[in-house]
Amino acid sequence: MVRYLENLTLNQYLFHYLHANYLNIPLIARITYSDLCAANRLGKQASMFNIQSKEAFVENKATGNNAAQSTEHSAKDETANNHFPYLPDTDADRQAMLKAIGVDSFDELIKDIPASVRAKPLELPPSMSELELVDAISKLAKKNNPASNQMNFLGGGSYRRFVPSIVPAVVSRSEFATAYTPYQAEISQGNLQTIYEYQTAICLLTNMDVANASMYDGPTACGEAALMASRLTGKKKIVVSSTLNPEYEAVTSTYVHACDLRAEKLELDNGATPHSQIDNETAAVIVQYPNYFGIIEDLKTLAETVHQAEALLIVVVDPVSLGYLSPPGDFKADIVVGDAQSCGNYLSFGGPSAGFMACRQEFVRQLPGRLVGATLDSCQRRAYTLTLQAREQHIRRAHATSNICTNQALNALAMLVYLSALGPQGLKAIANLSLQKAHYLADQLSRIPGVMLAFKRPYFSEFAIVTPKPAKRVLKHLSEKGILGGLDLSNSSAALNNGILIAVTEMNKKDELDAYARELQSVLNMQ
C-alpha cells in the first residue's frame, strides 16, 4: 500500500478520498481532507505512514497487523497490475492494449478503415497560455450583440424579464447546480423538497390540483398533455387552435403522429379560437392563454363547449400573465402546461428551460414524469418521496405513461425561487407593468398613419400590428437602429404579410417605447 500511495499525486489522493466517502467504503487508502491539506503544505507526495491518518488506520486497529499486511500485499498486486480506477490511460497502458490486440501502433489498428471516411486532423491554432486564451476569447465574445444590449421587443414564447439576484445566488449553489437525484431518491431530501415546493407553486399559480416535477420544456409538455388526454378519453383526435405557438404545435404534431393519433386545426376567428367545430370524437382541444398573438381567449365559453363534447381542455399559459389574469383552473381547465423561461430563467440563446404541467386530481394516474409527495418517516417527521412512479424506468415500458426519464430540476428551481421572491403581489405588479406598457406602445404605434392592430380583441402584453410595408424590411431597419422590433408574422397561421408580433415586458423603459414609435414612423416615411 505504501508503494502505491507514494506514486499518487495530491489530486489523486483527493479523488480516492471522495470516491471512498461517496461509496462509504472503509478503504485503507481513505484519508481525511485535513490530511490532504497538510500533505499539500509539506509540498510533497506524502505516503500513508507519513500522514498518520486516524481514519485510515481504523481498520488496522480493528483487525490487527495481519489484516494490514494482507492489505499491503493486495495493494502491491494492484500496483503491479497498473490498476488506477477512473484515471486516464498512460502510454504504457495503450502500448499494452495494442500488444494484446497484436498491432504495433494505433495507425496499424485502423489501417483497414478507408482514408476517405477517417476523421481529419483538426486545424487548430498554436497552443496559447491561459492569459492569451482569455484575451482571444474575449475578443470573439465582443462580436456578439446580445438582446440585453438592445431594445428588445421579441416574444413568441421567450421573453427578456428581470431575474432577481436571489435566483442565481440560490441555483448556483453546488448542492443544486451539480446534484443529480440519487437512487433511491429519498436519500436526497433537499432536492425532493425543492421539487415538492415547485409543484405546490405551480398548483397555486394555475389553480389546479396536482403538478409534476417538470418536463423538458413547454412544447414537450404540450405534446405529453395531448397523449395524456387520449389515454384518459380513449379517443384519437386532438384539436389544436391556430392561435397556438407554432413551436408548440410542431412538437405536439410530432408526438401525436408518432402515437397513431390525428391532429386537426381550428381556424382563426379574428385572432382567437372559434367556439365550434368540436365533435364527440375529440379527445382534447389545445388553446393558448394569452394566445400566440397576445389575445386573451374566452376560456369559460371554450371549456363549456369542449366539455359538452366529452373532451378535455388543455391550456398553454404564460405564467407571468397569471399574476394578473384569472388562472385556467377557475374555468375548469383539465390540463395546464407552460414554460418556466419567463420566471427566473434567462433567454440564454433560447434555452435551457423547463416545462410545467398540472391537472385535475382525478387524472393524476396518467400524469407523466416524476411526482414528489410528502409523508412521515418512521420517526413521524415530514419526509419527501417519489410517488405514483409510472415512468418507464420504474414499470414495464408498455404500461408507462411516458418515456420522459428526468426533469429540469435546476430550471424549475429557478422558477420556484423567482415566484417565492416576488410573491403574489410582486407577480401581479410585474404582470400589470407589462400590460400597461404594452397598451401604451400599441396606442403610440396606432397613431402612425397606415399602422393598425391586427385584431380587435383584448390582449395582454403582446400584440400584433400591420404596417404598410413588408415586415421583413421594417424589422431590418429597426435592427440597424438597435431595436429588436418583434417577430415577422408572414409565415404564421394568420398569414399577415405585413404583420409584426411585438412583446413588451417590465424591462422596456418608456424612452424605449417612444424610440420604437419614432423609428417605425421613420422607416414608413422612407421611399
Side-chain angles (χ1 to χ4, degrees):
M1 173 59 79
V2 177
R3 188 175 302 167
Y4 174 64
L5 291 170
E6 285 176 340
N7 289 325
L8 295 184
T9 65
L10 182 64
N11 284 340
Q12 290 166 345
Y13 272 128
L14 183 58
F15 167 81
H16 284 286
Y17 167 74
L18 293 174
H19 187 62
N21 273 281
Y22 180 76
L23 297 177
N24 197 25
I25 299 173
L27 297 179
I28 290 297
R30 186 172 171 186
I31 56 181
T32 64
Y33 181 73
S34 59
D35 292 330
L36 294 173
C37 294
N40 191 35
R41 287 195 297 270
L42 289 173
K44 61 182 181 180
Q45 297 177 357
S47 69
M48 179 56 63
F49 290 105
N50 289 336
I51 293 175
Q52 293 295 323
S53 167
K54 294 179 181 179
E55 183 180 3
F57 290 100
V58 170
E59 186 172 340
N60 282 4
K61 293 177 182 178
T63 60
N65 292 332
N66 290 337
Q69 291 173 0
S70 64
T71 305
E72 184 175 346
H73 285 304
S74 65
K76 290 180 180 178
D77 293 338
E78 183 180 44
T79 306
N81 293 330
N82 202 22
H83 176 62
F84 296 93
Y86 305 106
L87 297 180
D89 296 321
T90 65
D91 288 337
D93 293 330
R94 287 189 284 272
Q95 289 300 321
M97 287 188 283
L98 291 171
K99 183 178 180 181
I101 295 170
V103 296
D104 294 329
S105 66
F106 180 75
D107 289 336
E108 185 181 352
L109 176 64
I110 63 172
K111 66 181 181 180
D112 292 328
I113 300 176
S116 60
V117 299
R118 294 185 195 176
K120 301 297 188 294
L122 296 176
E123 296 181 1
L124 298 175
S127 61
M128 303 179 186
S129 68
E130 183 177 359
L131 175 62
E132 293 170 325
L133 181 61
V134 169
D135 182 61
I137 296 300
S138 298
K139 289 178 180 177
L140 285 175
K142 289 178 181 178
K143 295 182 179 181
N144 291 329
N145 191 14
S148 57
N149 288 348
Q150 304 176 71
M151 289 179 273
N152 183 20
F153 295 90
L154 296 175
S158 293
Y159 306 91
R160 183 181 173 230
R161 292 196 176 276
F162 180 71
V163 178
S165 58
I166 190 175
V167 176
V170 172
V171 302
S172 63
R173 289 182 62 90
S174 59
E175 301 96 316
F176 298 124
T178 63
Y180 186 81
T181 308
Y183 300 97
Q184 283 287 353
E186 286 67 30
I187 297 173
S188 187
Q189 284 293 299
N191 278 348
L192 292 186
Q193 181 178 352
T194 60
I195 295 173
Y196 182 84
E197 302 283 3
Y198 161 80
Q199 293 172 176
T200 303
I202 295 300
C203 290
L204 292 172
L205 188 65
T206 60
N207 194 24
M208 300 298 287
D209 299 327
V210 60
N212 69 9
S214 76
M215 310 296 286
Y216 295 126
D217 54 24
T220 55
C222 187
E224 290 283 4
L227 303 188
M228 178 179 170
S230 178
R231 294 193 300 271
L232 287 166
T233 62
K235 302 176 184 179
K236 292 185 173 293
K237 185 169 80 170
I238 305 297
V239 175
V240 180
S241 171
S242 293
T243 64
L244 182 64
N245 186 307
E247 294 178 356
Y248 282 70
E249 186 207 341
V251 173
T252 301
S253 296
T254 301
Y255 273 62
V256 167
H257 175 75
C259 294
D260 295 325
L261 307 180
R262 69 179 191 276
E264 294 184 4
K265 291 184 69 172
L266 289 175
E267 298 302 322
L268 280 177
D269 179 13
N270 188 25
T273 305
H275 300 163
S276 58
Q277 306 174 30
I278 302 170
D279 56 36
N280 290 330
E281 296 181 357
T282 303
V285 176
I286 304 176
V287 298
Q288 188 170 338
Y289 172 77
N291 69 29
Y292 181 65
F293 304 108
I295 303 300
I296 301 173
E297 296 275 7
D298 182 1
L299 288 188
K300 184 175 184 296
T301 304
L302 276 171
E304 293 173 353
T305 304
V306 169
H307 292 152
Q308 285 175 1
E310 298 182 341
L312 302 182
L313 179 63
I314 300 172
V315 182
V316 177
V317 298
D318 169 12
V320 173
S321 73
L322 299 184
Y324 193 85
L325 303 176
S326 297
D330 287 3
F331 305 107
K332 303 187 185 306
D334 299 292
I335 304 172
V336 178
V337 299
D339 200 291
Q341 184 277 319
S342 60
C343 292
N345 289 283
Y346 297 97
L347 283 172
S348 300
F349 299 97
S353 184
F356 59 84
M357 190 173 190
C359 68
R360 287 159 50 186
Q361 180 67 40
E362 57 263 39
F363 301 148
V364 67
R365 288 282 179 179
Q366 290 297 329
L367 188 65
R370 284 177 163 179
L371 190 65
V372 176
T375 184
L376 297 177
D377 66 10
S378 59
C379 298
Q380 297 303 300
R381 297 172 301 189
R382 189 176 182 86
Y384 302 92
T385 180
L386 291 183
T387 186
L388 302 177
Q389 300 185 55
R391 62 191 191 131
E392 67 172 12
Q393 286 187 334
H394 298 124
I395 64 176
R396 292 182 179 180
R397 184 176 300 178
H399 299 293
T401 56
S402 169
N403 67 354
I404 185 171
C405 55
T406 187
N407 60 283
Q408 299 289 90
L410 194 63
N411 299 95
L413 175 63
M415 184 179 189
L416 170 63
V417 177
Y418 177 88
L419 293 174
S420 301
L422 265 62
Q425 294 305 315
L427 188 64
K428 182 178 181 179
I430 294 293
N432 187 42
L433 269 175
S434 302
L435 181 144
Q436 297 297 336
K437 291 184 175 185
H439 283 250
Y440 172 82
L441 179 59
D443 182 60
Q444 294 296 103
L445 299 182
S446 298
R447 297 179 182 181
I448 301 173
V451 177
M452 63 183 70
L453 291 176
F455 308 108
K456 303 297 184 182
R457 288 183 180 273
Y459 57 92
F460 178 58
S461 63
E462 282 182 279
F463 57 93
I465 63 170
V466 178
T467 71
K469 293 186 178 180
K472 184 176 181 180
R473 178 180 171 186
V474 172
L475 293 173
K476 183 176 183 298
H477 174 85
L478 292 174
S479 178
E480 292 170 352
K481 299 296 182 180
I483 300 174
L484 299 175
L487 299 177
D488 186 349
L489 292 176
S490 301
N491 296 321
S492 70
S493 58
L496 298 173
N497 292 330
N498 297 348
I500 300 174
L501 180 64
I502 301 171
V504 184
T505 72
E506 75 281 4
M507 299 292 283
N508 297 114
K509 304 179 181 63
K510 183 178 180 296
D511 59 349
E512 294 181 358
L513 307 181
D514 294 334
Y516 190 115
R518 286 196 307 272
E519 291 300 332
L520 179 59
Q521 185 164 18
S522 174
V523 68
L524 294 180
N525 290 337
M526 293 172 60
Q527 297 299 325

